[in-house]
Amino acid sequence: MTTQIIESVLEEAKKQGAKKVIEVQLVIGKMTFLGTEQVRFSYNILVEDTIMKGSKLIIEEKDGVIECSSCGYRGEIPVVDDPAYHVPIPTLRCPKCAKAAKIVEGKECTIRSIRMVK
Amino acid sequence: MANTKDVIKGEEVTLEIQPGMNILEVNKKLAQKNMELLRKHNVKAIDIMGSIGAGKTCLIEKLVQALKQKYRIAVFKGDLTTTIDAERIRRHGVQVITINTGRECHLDANVVARAVERISLEAIDLLIIENVGNLICPAEFPLGTDKRVVVVSVTEGPYMVVKHPFTFMNADVMVINKKDLAETMKIDTKQLEKQVKEIKPDVKVAVTNALSGEGVEELIKALEL
């Protein structure tokens, strides 16, 4: 995934005729499987031989939002807080009507902005 | 289109662009294309995910045996290397395409689209895709199938579901396999079922022993086949 992010940034930078990329801002949804620590770690290794070397990576994490087609609830992802699990487990059970809701936000991995020197 | 904004600092021109590119959206769009193509040819498609050794291939063998009179079936078999599993399925008389991913831990919509090009969609009604053995990554990459199945087996322990809530949120059907070993493993399959329904209330559950074929009918019903 990080490779894909970097490839997209480099492609955009090439289109703009940039000499150097100095900052990349990402938005990563909390309902994806992407760990921001791991993205950061691999980013620094993968940019090494590119014009992105030394660039600042800013990651904004976006909360998950669900929507229920049965009762119309829209809001944050509810959690099951059973002490047996030690940590709260996210659930798609609608907090209002208990039917199955769908994730509408929090599954994105977006390049919000790139700052580059021409 | 990207919005650009020039900022001039000294002699350097800093360009800020907002491409608003959604990296995961690329796969999703390809998946949508796969789905449209399959539907156009009236081909039903199923993505089977689960850990290494959960019993995915064995279940597919049993599904093929039970369904090959009713449907003309093709199977895509995702694996890092080898065609061992493909041979297991092929001996049941159906077309099998191996997708060796090399190092990738999951199939994506792009490799599936390429595999679809290698088969004749006119000649099949059902496509079963066995994903790479991995309980986490495949869930992030829809392939364009009608149903997504997650197979867990009782030998994987009692916390498979609650440890992987995001995987099960993406599943339409969960299979609890190796039910014959549940007692030995001290696993209550009812508890696993309760946990998955807590995370995804509309998920369908089938409890199976893929080796003997027990519960396969239940799975076929859950898959609406």
Side-chain angles (χ1 to χ4, degrees):
Chain A
M1 276 305 294
T2 314
T3 309
Q4 258 179 293
I5 293 166
I6 289 166
E7 277 172 5
S8 304
V9 172
L10 286 173
E11 198 182 307
E12 203 59 43
K14 200 176 159 193
K15 252 194 251 168
Q16 304 290 341
K19 276 191 298 201
K20 203 162 173 42
V21 172
I22 49 179
E23 186 190 283
V24 175
Q25 280 197 37
L26 297 179
V27 180
I28 295 182
K30 287 187 184 169
M31 303 311 286
T32 65
F33 290 75
L34 289 164
T36 54
E37 266 317 298
Q38 282 171 319
V39 171
R40 228 173 256 289
F41 176 74
S42 33
Y43 182 92
N44 288 328
I45 296 166
L46 291 163
V47 297
E48 195 59 30
D49 295 319
T50 73
I51 58 163
M52 289 170 71
K53 187 179 175 180
S55 60
K56 192 173 168 190
L57 174 65
I58 299 168
I59 302 176
E60 185 196 312
E61 281 194 277
K62 201 168 167 191
D63 285 327
V65 173
I66 58 163
E67 210 171 76
C68 175
S69 57
S70 305
C71 74
Y73 169 87
R74 185 190 166 99
E76 60 181 41
I77 309 255
V79 292
V80 184
D81 206 357
D82 187 325
Y85 305 154
H86 306 294
V87 290
I89 307 293
T91 160
L92 293 181
R93 185 187 290 274
C94 173
K96 262 172 89 181
C97 73
K99 294 225 172 76
K102 280 201 163 64
I103 298 171
V104 289
E105 276 177 38
K107 292 207 72 148
E108 52 283 278
C109 169
T110 313
I111 302 169
R112 173 183 277 163
S113 74
I114 310 163
R115 280 180 63 210
M116 50 187 104
V117 179
K118 264 191 145 173
Chain B
M1 269 318 282
N3 295 314
T4 59
K5 178 166 79 185
D6 287 350
V7 186
I8 301 169
K9 274 185 201 157
E11 291 187 352
E12 252 181 11
V13 178
T14 311
L15 187 68
E16 185 174 321
I17 65 156
Q18 276 119 28
M21 265 180 239
N22 191 338
I23 305 286
L24 287 167
E25 201 63 35
V26 177
N27 181 73
K28 232 169 127 184
K29 278 192 185 137
L30 281 173
Q32 191 60 38
K33 264 182 149 174
N34 287 347
M35 189 180 263
E36 282 161 16
L37 183 67
L38 292 164
R39 291 216 169 136
K40 203 175 108 193
H41 289 87
N42 291 318
V43 176
K44 291 184 181 175
I46 297 160
D47 177 9
I48 300 192
M49 303 173 277
S51 305
I52 298 165
K56 297 183 293 301
T57 310
C58 192
L59 266 176
I60 291 173
E61 285 187 70
K62 288 295 188 298
L63 281 176
V64 166
Q65 280 174 337
L67 293 169
K68 69 179 175 187
Q69 303 301 335
K70 192 173 169 191
Y71 297 98
R72 295 169 301 162
I73 307 172
V75 178
F76 291 170
K77 176 72 192 73
D79 258 319
L80 268 67
T81 62
T82 85
T83 55
I84 297 167
D85 283 359
E87 293 306 325
R88 282 172 57 188
I89 302 166
R90 197 170 284 131
R91 64 178 185 209
H92 300 287
V94 293
Q95 188 182 9
V96 184
I97 304 271
T98 304
I99 307 175
N100 281 143
T101 57
R103 280 165 295 193
E104 288 290 334
C105 53
H106 58 270
L107 295 181
D108 60 36
N110 181 43
V111 294
V112 168
R114 292 215 310 268
V116 166
E117 286 166 11
R118 291 170 56 195
I119 60 168
S120 161
L121 290 178
E122 280 82 24
I124 64 162
D125 326 288
L126 176 62
L127 174 63
I128 302 174
I129 305 173
E130 181 179 342
N131 220 308
V132 178
N134 179 343
L135 194 63
I136 301 171
C137 312
E140 186 85 296
F141 296 89
L143 306 177
T145 57
D146 301 294
K147 294 262 189 295
R148 306 189 81 194
V149 182
V150 178
V151 183
V152 298
S153 59
V154 298
T155 50
E156 293 160 39
Y159 304 114
M160 286 305 280
V161 174
V162 291
K163 280 184 187 171
H164 304 90
F166 297 107
T167 298
F168 294 95
M169 279 180 179
N170 289 290
D172 301 301
V173 177
M174 171 168 95
V175 176
I176 304 171
N177 193 27
K178 307 186 190 174
K179 66 178 281 193
D180 52 314
L181 298 176
E183 209 183 311
T184 316
M185 292 301 297
K186 297 187 174 61
I187 303 285
D188 179 2
T189 58
K190 286 268 172 290
Q191 189 62 19
L192 282 174
E193 198 170 331
K194 192 179 146 230
Q195 287 167 349
V196 78
K197 292 224 158 124
E198 201 148 37
I199 290 165
K200 181 113 193 309
D202 58 350
V203 75
K204 290 184 179 156
V205 178
V207 185
T208 61
N209 170 358
L211 272 181
S212 73
E214 199 184 342
V216 171
E217 276 307 313
E218 209 179 322
L219 172 60
I220 291 170
K221 225 171 115 191
L223 292 169
E224 294 164 23
L225 290 173

